[in-house]
Amino acid sequence: MRSNIRIKKPRRGGVWRDLGQKMKCLCAGEKLIKVEQMIPPSESLAVEDHSLCGHSSKFSNGENKPDTGNIEEAELSLRESSSLNYEEARALLGRIEYQKGNIEAALHVFEGIDIAAIIPKMKLSLTRKVERRKRQSHDYAPPPMSVHTISLLLEAIFLKAQSLQHLQRFREAAQTCKVILDVIESSLPDGLPENFGADCKLQETLNKAVELLPELWKLSDSPFEAILSYRWALLHIWNLDVETTARIQKHFAVFLLYCGDEACPPNLRSQMGSSFVPRNNIEEAILLLMILLRKVALKRIEWDPSILDHLSFALSVCGDLRALAKQIEELLPGVINRKESYRILSLCYHGAGEDSAALILLRKLLNSNEDPRCVPGLMMASRICGEKPILAEEGISFAHRALESLEEECNELEGTSNFLLGVACSMHSKSVLSDFERVAIQSEALQALESAWKITNMKDPSILYHLSLENAEQRKLGAALYYAKSLLKLEGGSNIKGWLLLARILSAQKRFVDGEIVLDAALDQTGKWDQGELLRTKAKLQIARGQLKNAVETYSQLLALLQVQCKSFVLGKKLHKDHRYSLTSFEQEIWHDLAYLYISLSQWRDAEICLSKSKAISSYSAVRFHATGVLYERKGLLKEAMEAFRTALDIDPDHVPSMISAAAVLRRVGGQCNAVIKSLLMNALRVDQMNGLAWYNLGLLHKTEEVGSSMEEAAECFEIAAILEESAPIEPFR
């Protein structure tokens, strides 16, 4: 039987004269055995035989000619050893089959190589080669294999792994590919020396194997082995080029972020004691992506926008958007567009709670010299401004500009812009002094929110929530109740804010029993960690119903829950620092509620204990000083009460309860100028125009005045106070 692989005899002398003939034969020991005798007919390497049997896998329809590099490598092998041994011949012939697209035929040839037998020879040969280069001595025994032969055989192992990959035998492919890295690591622990095997493909094969191995483990659904392979590739010295290393780092970071398996932290024993060691997938991915950004900044690799996308996701998940902003700021000018940089940085600062910095960037983006019609920027600026009373008017302007800048019909953007306009108008109405202007702005707020609700097909919970909230604050309780029930139905009771708003609206309608039933239903559907606000509102409903003992028990249950949560934080469980602060702040509010409750029951000692608990959490609290003043007032110590109210107003000049209480004490003391009392009450109404108690005290003040119209003004104030009291919730709607 004749070999199907024929090599045209070149017109040269010397070694080339015998190459064609020797490629037909394989060397076994010192004897030349013909291919026909060495490889039985059943193991024929011919493409035609495999094609006829239907067992060949090809890359393309066309038949590729063998690369002339095969002949050159054969010549090198012949020059070094005067013959091709069995493994080398199979390596060359397998490569030819692989290049022609005959995957199964190539794998059949590669499987004839006894990898276990040649590994010790390759390791010994590489070790001796390196030692001879280091000591520049010729006393060492010659290595069993030349560097070229080792390169040829390692390439054959790599092609075998790729063949197995093409046949979807991924685990076998990974195990085969790992052999290459094991050989190099054990024989060359310090990596390939410079220019070692420069005339062959040893470094090229190693680069490909290092990059391929983790991918094979991923394909075989072995995430743990894939992570170990990635770390092996990045922590061992392989002399990889910068581009290959960057690709591996990026693929590893992406795998860590989205694989769904939590990897064990890396064991970086080679790192210094002060070096950062990532503790989980997210931290390790962030570290890799930040290294890539540093390489971009140093111009070692080309800019890849996906690096920033993945880093944005990772830092958003762990809540550290300030770090993302720093990374973007460190990028060289021109890497990303300036307008895009403004937009991304504003998002980062807004997410990090630094709204002032975000707004400064947005104003730069939206000025006439940059992009004044950038709809996402306008909407974000409107959202930031709309949440603050002093900036709400500017938020209205941004929302109007966003609506005007919508070039194409887009229901989502139009609905969101109307929603932001409604929120900004609602916030701005609270700081307007003129009644006429306030009513007009409130009307615009409702109109914008209703437009947004209709445009979004009544399916946006945020719009529905604010629509119910705005109606409630305008005391349109029927409409507010309708929207609150619709919100609860839309969300399926999954959001605590919806339950709380519904309970507060029912309390404003003086339906305290229904409100408590709603809260009990909410508690049944809510996890323990999220029941705090629900329990607090339930306790206030019980106070409104006169069930003070039940209210104390509810507050006790709430405090026990908070203590468990705080202990969980101390024990190292995963609680964000902002959440820890909110827990302590919420606990302080509970102590204030209990203090007011005990004061109403004239239990002074219990009230003082609650206030001392509050002081232990934070001494700088306007509410605590107000509660202390109320306690002194109930004891008849009006001078001490007035001092406490003044301290509360020093801490928070807009603290409405302290203004009202101070005015009431001054009126009781007598001898005070009515202008001072009136000023306090008018300031209270400026901050909270819907405060019935402020209107009531203003009516009492007018009643004591000896002016002709004072009685009419007093009656008007009492009437407003009565109307507001009839629709006042047990706690603010917002």
Side-chain angles (χ1 to χ4, degrees), residues 460-508:
D460 191 322
S462 297
I463 296 174
L464 204 52
Y465 174 80
H466 281 86
L467 192 54
S468 175
L469 181 62
E470 184 61 26
N471 276 284
E473 290 185 330
Q474 295 186 26
R475 296 302 193 267
K476 298 177 181 179
L477 298 180
L481 183 63
Y482 169 76
Y483 290 125
K485 289 181 177 179
S486 300
L487 173 65
L488 207 61
K489 183 178 180 180
L490 180 62
E491 293 182 326
S494 61
N495 194 339
I496 294 175
K497 289 172 61 178
W499 290 106
L500 288 172
L501 181 57
L502 178 58
R504 289 164 184 166
I505 293 170
L506 290 171
S507 73

Side-chain angles (χ1 to χ4, degrees), residues 79-207:
R79 282 177 176 172
E80 292 176 356
S81 61
S82 300
S83 62
L84 284 174
N85 63 25
Y86 182 87
E87 286 79 12
E88 289 177 276
R90 279 194 170 270
L92 286 171
L93 293 172
R95 184 206 287 173
I96 293 172
E97 295 292 338
Y98 185 85
Q99 290 174 344
K100 292 169 69 176
N102 300 300
I103 304 302
E104 292 187 5
L107 181 60
H108 193 72
V109 176
F110 290 136
E111 286 177 341
I113 300 175
D114 190 352
I115 295 177
I118 62 175
I119 285 177
K121 296 179 183 179
M122 287 193 288
K123 291 181 179 179
L124 179 61
S125 300
L126 288 171
T127 303
R128 287 186 180 178
K129 280 282 185 182
V130 173
E131 290 176 350
R132 290 178 70 178
R133 284 169 61 95
K134 286 182 179 179
R135 303 189 182 184
Q136 297 181 352
S137 172
H138 300 284
D139 298 336
Y140 289 92
M145 292 182 179
S146 66
V147 176
H148 175 270
T149 300
I150 296 171
S151 174
L152 184 63
L153 294 174
L154 289 178
E155 184 190 18
I157 297 173
F158 177 75
L159 292 177
K160 179 182 178 182
Q162 285 194 313
S163 301
L164 290 166
Q165 179 188 4
H166 285 300
L167 298 174
Q168 299 186 4
R169 294 159 61 180
F170 301 121
R171 180 167 288 277
E172 294 178 55
Q175 293 168 345
T176 302
C177 187
K178 185 175 179 292
V179 170
I180 302 173
L181 276 62
D182 287 333
V183 169
I184 300 298
E185 183 187 46
S186 59
S187 54
L188 303 173
D190 297 327
L192 290 175
E194 189 176 356
N195 297 325
F196 186 83
D199 57 340
C200 58
K201 298 181 179 179
L202 184 57
Q203 184 66 59
E204 180 185 344
T205 303
L206 179 60
N207 289 1

Side-chain angles (χ1 to χ4, degrees), residues 528-529 558-588 590-591 617:
K528 286 288 183 183
W529 278 172
L558 176 53
L559 286 171
L561 175 65
L562 290 175
Q563 287 180 0
V564 172
Q565 286 184 282
C566 290
K567 286 181 180 179
S568 298
F569 178 81
V570 172
L571 293 174
K573 293 189 177 181
K574 190 175 180 181
L575 283 176
H576 196 270
K577 58 183 180 181
D578 292 338
H579 186 47
R580 182 191 184 188
Y581 172 77
S582 65
L583 281 179
T584 55
S585 177
F586 185 57
E587 182 183 357
Q588 188 177 33
I590 301 307
W591 288 119
I617 296 173

Side-chain angles (χ1 to χ4, degrees), residues 218 222-228 230-231 234 249-267 276-290 310-311 313-318 574:
K218 287 195 292 186
S222 304
F224 180 72
E225 288 81 358
I227 289 171
L228 291 180
Y230 273 124
R231 289 174 179 164
L234 295 174
Q249 288 171 331
K250 177 187 169 184
H251 293 159
F252 187 24
V254 171
F255 185 69
L256 287 169
L257 287 175
Y258 312 115
C259 69
D261 288 293
E262 188 65 35
C264 297
N267 182 16
F276 171 75
V277 178
R279 296 167 295 179
N280 51 50
N281 284 20
I282 300 293
E283 289 187 358
E284 192 169 2
I286 290 172
L287 179 61
L288 290 165
L289 293 167
M290 291 175 72
H310 296 305
L311 183 61
F313 170 77
L315 289 172
S316 299
V317 168
C318 63
K574 190 175 180 181

Side-chain angles (χ1 to χ4, degrees), residues 384-400:
I384 293 173
C385 293
E387 294 173 350
K388 298 172 175 58
I390 59 174
L391 297 173
E393 190 172 5
E394 188 179 5
I396 295 173
S397 174
F398 283 128
H400 281 303

